[in-house]
Amino acid sequence: MRYASPVALCLCLLLAGCGGRSYYLGQNYLDRGLYDKAVAEFSRAVESNPRSAKAWYGRGTAYSDQGEYERAIADFSKAIKYDSDNAAFYNDRALAYALTGKHGQAISDFTRAIELDPAQAEVFHSRGAAYHYRGQYDLAVSDFSEAIRLNPANGVFYNDRGVAYAMKGKHDRAISDFTKAVEINPRDALAFSLRGTTYRDMEQYDLAISDYTRAIRLDGRFAEAYAGRATAYYNKGQYDDAWANVRRAQSLGLQVPPEFLRALRKASPRDR
């Protein structure tokens, strides 16, 4: 969390008019996570100067940080109306669209943000995620690849490209990406679990179990990893081990797919 310098804030308040004063107070409250106060000050700022793009953007950011995405979208749209060349405005509206399930509109805004500032790896990654949610895996892979080119040290980018490759049935490429993710961060439990799932789908069950086990060692409450390991044990015919992992996943609050439970009960009626 960044805090505005008190000296800088005082200078800004002295130099600014009433609208400017409210903007800087709003920004200070926003930086401190005091969102209701930030909204109140940004509201005063836009009342004083309705054409202030930065004040609309500030209030939109405060709304977004509180999960009020529709209000955030409305304010980001106002900011764009008065400053249509600011990549951050489009990016943050895109994120709000994505969080409300409007992935097509999100893609449009991410694209405009990229046109204005093509050097931001996170924006390519975000657009790739939006394409992924729409099932457009080739476009998702392309954007994740560009994000990796711009920032090759981010393991999340490799994980997400790996998932897109897996959805396309390109399991070897998925394995390669998950392996790169764990090289970048050897404590990335999700990467181990994702690689385990890919090995399971390739019917390499021992490798799958090994990776799920490594994920669980890193995060003992990783319910999905227990469930994944249960399916690998099931496919090996180790039903007692499968039940033990199912029970652990359920104890952590995971709803294990009923079709898997039916198959496991059929193979091993003893509901352990």
Side-chain angles (χ1 to χ4, degrees), residues 9 12-13 16-27 41 44-45:
L9 181 60
C12 289
L13 296 182
C18 180
R21 177 180 185 278
S22 292
Y23 168 77
Y24 287 110
L25 283 172
Q27 192 62 51
E41 291 299 337
R44 293 187 183 97

Side-chain angles (χ1 to χ4, degrees), residues 178-199:
F178 299 139
T179 300
K180 183 63 176 179
V182 298
E183 288 172 1
I184 291 171
N185 179 11
R187 298 193 61 78
D188 187 347
L190 178 60
F192 280 112
S193 183
L194 290 170
R195 193 173 68 177
T197 297
T198 308
Y199 279 133

